[in-house]
């Protein structure tokens, strides 16, 4: 943490933080460090929700919140920063309202925008420590590289199904995210939480631990997770540590870095521009609208689960869940162009590959799935 004048705690704060002040490891000096600190939250979703609440309750002076999304009903199973009344509202607005209600002494700086290679370093530079609550690989690599370049510690967390991970990257002499994961997995190999699901309590556990690590770092107490990847198995209620060392050959933080400025992270992670290199694999919503209006429209094959189909689906689409698709190929017309559909595009790409291997000649996947269709074409469609 940079040295700066310790702010004075007003009487209300002395009472609010009384339980901290009685802890010798924190005390007045530690609480003043918290009040002087500036913490950036990347994402106000599952991980960012508990992190924001506990950092605000602990007395962090300034919380930055970066999120371009709006609150959706399906968020509320795990994103406890928001409530039913906030559905349809920008997450940054909902987060600011909730944080102010919890602790009006905390100043919130909202960034209702996507973190990109154009704005990331500018935003990260203004804070002391970054808590990453992102849910996709391009943003994780972007945040990591920005923190390395700006010399800011990064509290990393990730969740999927029943497992979570936690570490601190970018500390002086310690590893960065790329030291552990030098390259992203294939874009279609790791499902998103939307496709694979996530236990609602899990981000509460990992996000709270992220807040804990940030508080310890700011105050300067305890043993951090620098050099360790903590893996939590919720079903077995087990934590285990994996040692992570700085890689001298790391492309970003190594002895001779080859990446010295922010890059195109979607291309790096294989999430290509939908209008160029994946044109043969995916169809965008606007093009599908035009195709459906033609005399010979494509056959819409929805490969989600029945409960998802019941929430929302494209008109005239046929449901065949992905896990039953190999046994039901005879139900699919071979003479028509096919468009596979899922929630956000991952399963539909897998279905496309399966159908191509089975000899179907014209198959494309709906880019972004029904979620993109609801955003771009049918705002009345229920999202989840």
């Amino acid at each position: 943490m940079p040295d700066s004048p310790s702010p004075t705690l007003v009487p209300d704060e002395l009472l609010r933080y009384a339980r901290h002040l009685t802890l010798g490891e924190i005390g007045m000096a530690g609480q003043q460090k918290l009040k002087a600190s500036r913490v950036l939250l990347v994402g106000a979703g599952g991980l960012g929700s508990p992190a924001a609440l506990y950092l605000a309750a602990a007395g962090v002076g300034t919380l930055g919140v970066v999120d371009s999304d709006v609150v959706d009903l399906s968020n509320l199973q795990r994103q406890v920063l928001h409530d039913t009344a906030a559905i349809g509202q920008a997450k940054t607005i909902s987060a600011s309202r909730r944080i102010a209600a919890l602790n009006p002494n905390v100043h919130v700086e909202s960034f209702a925008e996507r973190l990109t290679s154009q704005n990331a370093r500018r935003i990260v530079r203004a804070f002391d420590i970054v808590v990453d609550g992102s849910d996709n690989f391009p943003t994780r690599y972007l945040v990591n590289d920005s923190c390395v370049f700006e010399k800011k510690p990064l509290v990393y967390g990730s969740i999927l199904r029943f497992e979570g991970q936690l570490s601190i990257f970018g500390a002086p002499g310690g590893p960065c995210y790329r030291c552990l994961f030098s390259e992203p997995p294939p874009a279609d190999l790791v499902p998103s939480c939307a496709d694979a699901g996530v236990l609602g309590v899990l981000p509460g556990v990992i996000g709270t631990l992220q807040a804990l690590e940030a508080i310890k770092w700011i105050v300067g107490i305890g043993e951090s997770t620098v050099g360790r990847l903590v893996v939590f198995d919720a079903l077995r209620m087990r934590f285990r540590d994996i040692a992570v060392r700085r890689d001298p050959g790391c492309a970003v933080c190594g002895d001779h870095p080859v990446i010295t400025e922010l890059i195109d992270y979607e291309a790096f992670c294989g999430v290509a521009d939908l209008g160029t290199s994946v044109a043969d694999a995916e169809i965008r919503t606007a093009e599908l609208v035009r195709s459906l209006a033609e005399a010979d429209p494509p056959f819409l094959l929805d490969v989600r689960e029945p409960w998802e189909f019941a929430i929302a689906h494209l008109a005239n689409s046929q449901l065949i869940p992905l896990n039953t698709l190999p046994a039901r190929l005879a139900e699919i017309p071979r003479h028509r162009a096919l468009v596979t559909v899922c929630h956000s595009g991952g399963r539909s790409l897998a279905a496309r590959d399966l159908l191509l291997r089975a000899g179907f000649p014209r198959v494309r996947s709906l880019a972004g799935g029904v979620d993109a269709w609801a955003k771009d074409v049918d705002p009345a469609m229920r999202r989840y």
Side-chain angles (χ1 to χ4, degrees):
M1 291 290 297
D3 294 329
S4 58
S6 298
T8 301
L9 299 182
V10 300
D12 173 76
E13 291 175 309
L14 294 175
L15 181 58
R16 180 183 290 269
Y17 308 128
R19 301 301 184 272
H20 273 181
L21 298 176
T22 59
L23 292 172
E25 293 84 352
I26 298 181
M28 181 66 75
Q31 196 62 50
Q32 289 174 324
K33 288 181 180 179
L34 287 169
K35 185 173 181 178
S37 66
R38 294 175 54 83
V39 180
L40 179 66
L41 295 170
V42 178
L47 293 170
S49 288
L53 291 171
Y54 276 104
L55 289 169
V60 165
T62 300
L63 279 177
V65 181
V66 183
D67 202 305
S68 62
D69 203 2
V70 298
V71 179
D72 183 76
L73 180 60
S74 66
N75 299 151
L76 303 184
Q77 165 251 14
R78 64 202 176 281
Q79 299 183 18
V80 295
L81 188 60
H82 315 292
D83 55 33
T84 303
I87 292 174
Q89 189 176 76
K91 287 185 178 178
T92 50
I93 294 176
S94 174
S96 297
R97 175 178 57 82
R98 180 69 182 91
I99 291 169
L102 176 63
N103 190 347
N105 300 305
V106 176
H107 173 64
V108 179
E109 294 183 7
S110 298
F111 303 87
E113 55 190 296
R114 286 183 62 245
L115 204 65
T116 67
S117 296
Q118 288 68 48
N119 63 17
R121 291 189 66 172
R122 169 179 55 82
I123 294 174
V124 167
R125 186 180 303 134
F127 293 86
D128 303 320
I129 187 170
V130 177
V131 175
D132 183 14
S134 62
D135 61 357
N136 61 85
F137 286 101
T139 303
R140 287 173 188 160
Y141 282 96
L142 169 62
V143 173
N144 174 79
D145 295 359
S146 299
C147 286
V148 171
F149 296 152
E150 297 298 331
K151 297 180 171 56
K152 307 291 184 180
L154 167 62
V155 186
Y156 160 77
S158 70
I159 52 171
L160 186 67
R161 291 179 55 78
F162 299 97
E163 184 175 289
Q165 298 179 352
L166 171 79
S167 190
I168 293 182
F169 295 121
C176 78
Y177 181 73
R178 285 181 183 266
C179 294
L180 179 61
F181 302 110
S182 60
E183 295 184 357
D188 59 349
L189 183 62
V190 180
S192 67
C193 287
D195 288 332
V198 61
L199 180 67
V201 176
L202 180 63
V205 175
I206 301 300
T208 300
L209 291 175
Q210 287 181 279
L212 172 62
E213 286 298 281
I215 290 168
K216 287 163 51 186
W217 184 274
I218 292 165
V219 178
I221 60 173
E223 180 180 340
S224 78
T225 51
V226 173
R228 296 187 291 146
L229 180 71
V230 178
V231 180
F232 173 56
D233 183 337
L235 288 180
R236 297 184 179 183
M237 191 53 71
R238 293 180 182 175
F239 288 88
R240 60 190 177 95
D241 279 8
I242 299 174
V244 182
R245 296 180 176 85
R246 177 181 171 273
D247 178 7
C250 176
V252 171
C253 76
D255 297 338
H256 304 286
V258 296
I259 298 176
T260 56
E261 59 184 27
L262 300 182
I263 61 175
D264 183 337
Y265 291 89
E266 293 194 347
F268 173 70
C269 293
V271 185
D273 184 339
L274 298 178
T276 56
S277 60
V278 296
D280 291 337
E282 293 186 296
I283 182 170
R284 302 179 75 171
T285 53
E287 183 181 353
L288 180 56
V289 169
R290 293 192 295 270
S291 297
L292 292 173
E294 294 175 353
D296 185 21
F299 180 86
L300 300 178
L301 177 63
D302 195 313
V303 297
R304 296 173 298 155
E305 295 300 311
W307 67 267
E308 295 177 279
F309 190 83
I311 292 174
H313 59 269
L314 276 65
N316 301 316
S317 57
Q318 179 171 336
L319 174 66
I320 301 181
L322 182 60
N323 62 349
T324 69
L325 187 57
R328 299 177 62 182
L329 296 178
E331 301 175 35
I332 305 170
R334 290 181 176 271
H335 64 282
R336 293 177 61 183
L338 305 178
V339 173
T340 56
V341 180
C342 70
H343 180 258
S344 56
R347 284 172 288 176
S348 58
L349 280 171
R352 174 186 180 270
D353 291 344
L354 188 156
L355 290 167
L356 289 175
R357 291 195 299 270
F360 289 82
R362 296 182 295 162
V363 190
R364 297 171 77 182
S365 165
L366 177 59
V370 294
D371 194 49
W373 186 267
K375 291 178 183 177
D376 301 340
V377 181
D378 185 4
M381 176 181 282
R382 297 191 70 184
R383 297 174 60 189
Y384 66 98

